[in-house]
Amino acid sequence: MPDPNSLYGPLDPAPDAGWSSAPPRMGFFTDTSVCIGCKACEVACKEWNGVPGSGLDLLGMSYDNTGALTANSWRHVAFIEQARPAGHRAPPSAPPSAPPSASPSAGTPVSVPASAASAAVAGGTTDLAGTDPGVPPESPSAAARMAAGGPTDVLGDPVGPGPVVGGAGPVVGGAAPEFLGMPGAQPPGRGTGVQERTDFRWLMMSDVCKHCTHAACLDVCPTGSLFRTEFGTVVVQEDICNGCGYCISACPYGVIDQRKDDGRAWKCTLCYDRLGAGMTPACAQACPTESIQYGALDELRERAAARVEALHERGVSEARLYGHDPNDGVGGDGAFFLLLDEPEVYGLPPDPVVTTRDLPAMWKRAGLAALAMAAATVAAFVGGSS
């Protein structure tokens, strides 16, 4: 007998999937307040799982050069630049902040969800690149344009022919390169003097598949390629996937992606092979600040609640948890986060709902409609013959 919460509501997913002696549910707690954006998690993930490279893409989104979670990026470190105080508020008597047009981070999308599309807009290109979902790594046009140009300063302005720093001699010929939005060596405003400097902070977050309690990707998979593990995680078996793409549209977070060169769906496995050997997932093992913590989900939730309380006591009132609530639209996530701003700022949906939640009601209505049509057909046949 299936659990009444099989499609919606609090649930322990592994026993519901048929695991009779499942261990405690395991997951990730990512504390973005201590993330330093080193991208060790991205590198470790690619190294352990053999994920192909995404090419060299200069997106103009601060130090973010992966853009989004894709078939070739199972971990994505987002960089969000905000021209406002970090961890404190301006005093009431402080002068008004500079207008948005004067902000040194103007042009970087901070008020809309980050995606491959927004990254392309910020980078000033419409060409396909390795960070576009499903596009295999080939010759990224942005890097090619940069390589074809002459020397520039840190702001992208051409410096013209002249001696090259380091004594390599004068530069001859070559068109001025296109400025791709690469940040300078200092935070915005740091080198412009006190009069023009604005408050500034980075929000950094290592995003990953959420391993939802109610995983719509798993519900719609026609081949059984996606399955629930004994640890409560969701894994794609690439040798069974037929590339139908149903899971991609079913994911409320836009995590799963199709690799165009082989047609199959790919995403984070939470290092299922390492878990089976009693090891920590590669990304959490490589994180130098323990921003990514791995463990039993119940223990992680207690640890996260204590961390939020500690931050609130220190005056960081905007600290909040995301994806930890078993009563939310997906029954809680196996990978949840401590954020320092609204979820939309990080490119996360504010109120995700499992897309298969309404399937029972839909099938019930379809059955009633079929019965009504059959009854009408019989009535018409009987009425016509009499």
Side-chain angles (χ1 to χ4, degrees):
M1 178 68 68
D3 192 286
N5 288 346
S6 288
L7 292 176
Y8 194 71
L11 185 77
D12 192 351
D16 183 65
W19 294 96
S20 57
S21 56
R25 186 180 180 187
M26 308 302 282
F28 284 134
F29 163 48
T30 301
D31 183 353
T32 67
S33 68
V34 294
C35 178
I36 59 174
C38 66
K39 304 186 184 183
C41 52
E42 289 188 4
V43 176
C45 176
K46 283 183 176 290
E47 183 71 22
W48 180 262
N49 295 293
V51 179
S54 301
L56 174 61
D57 291 329
L58 308 176
L59 304 176
M61 296 176 61
S62 191
Y63 290 94
D64 185 351
N65 62 353
T66 43
L69 292 172
T70 70
N72 295 336
S73 294
W74 298 359
R75 272 278 178 187
H76 165 232
V77 178
F79 288 74
I80 300 103
E81 296 182 0
Q82 288 187 331
R84 63 180 186 179
H88 66 276
R89 301 296 184 188
S93 58
S97 59
S101 59
S103 169
S105 60
T108 299
V110 296
S111 59
V112 297
S115 65
S118 64
V121 172
T125 178
T126 58
D127 297 335
L128 296 178
T131 50
D132 288 296
V135 178
E138 292 178 352
S139 54
S141 57
R145 291 200 306 274
M146 175 64 88
T152 63
D153 61 17
V154 295
L155 297 177
D157 295 323
V159 296
V164 176
V165 176
V171 175
V172 180
E178 179 180 346
F179 177 48
L180 301 175
M182 282 293 290
Q186 297 178 326
R190 181 63 57 85
T192 57
V194 177
Q195 298 300 325
E196 299 181 14
R197 181 177 175 181
T198 60
D199 287 317
F200 165 81
R201 73 168 177 174
W202 262 312
L203 297 176
M204 291 168 277
M205 180 195 73
S206 179
D207 197 9
V208 71
C209 171
K210 312 303 179 295
H211 296 276
C212 308
T213 298
H214 296 288
C217 58
L218 193 154
D219 295 335
V220 302
C221 180
T223 65
S225 170
L226 283 146
F227 74 102
R228 180 77 67 180
T229 74
E230 66 270 35
F231 303 104
T233 59
V234 180
V235 173
V236 183
Q237 301 175 92
E238 63 270 17
D239 56 334
I240 301 178
C241 178
N242 65 358
C244 68
Y246 293 164
C247 55
I248 297 172
S249 56
C251 177
Y253 296 101
V255 167
I256 307 180
D257 186 30
Q258 192 175 42
R259 196 172 290 162
K260 298 301 182 186
D261 54 359
D262 67 18
R264 296 174 292 178
W266 300 85
K267 75 171 192 70
C268 160
T269 67
L270 213 142
C271 288
Y272 184 43
D273 52 347
R274 293 176 65 95
L275 267 59
M279 301 171 67
T280 300
C283 56
Q285 184 72 43
C287 182
T289 64
E290 297 186 349
S291 171
I292 302 173
Q293 300 178 32
Y294 163 76
L297 200 57
D298 290 339
E299 179 185 347
L300 291 178
R301 285 170 174 164
E302 294 178 0
R303 195 183 305 172
R307 173 64 177 164
V308 169
E309 184 178 354
L311 288 174
H312 286 177
E313 291 176 353
R314 297 176 187 175
V316 188
S317 58
E318 57 268 42
R320 72 204 69 188
L321 295 179
Y322 177 84
H324 69 296
D325 186 1
N327 294 302
D328 66 12
V330 296
D333 294 325
F336 65 101
F337 302 83
L338 187 155
L339 305 178
L340 297 178
D341 207 326
E342 298 291 341
E344 300 94 315
V345 173
Y346 296 86
L348 298 169
D351 188 21
V353 175
V354 57
T355 51
T356 53
R357 179 188 63 177
D358 298 326
L359 276 181
M362 294 168 61
W363 282 113
K364 185 180 295 182
R365 293 191 185 96
L368 292 174
L371 288 174
M373 292 183 63
T377 302
V378 171
F381 179 78
V382 172
S385 61
S386 61

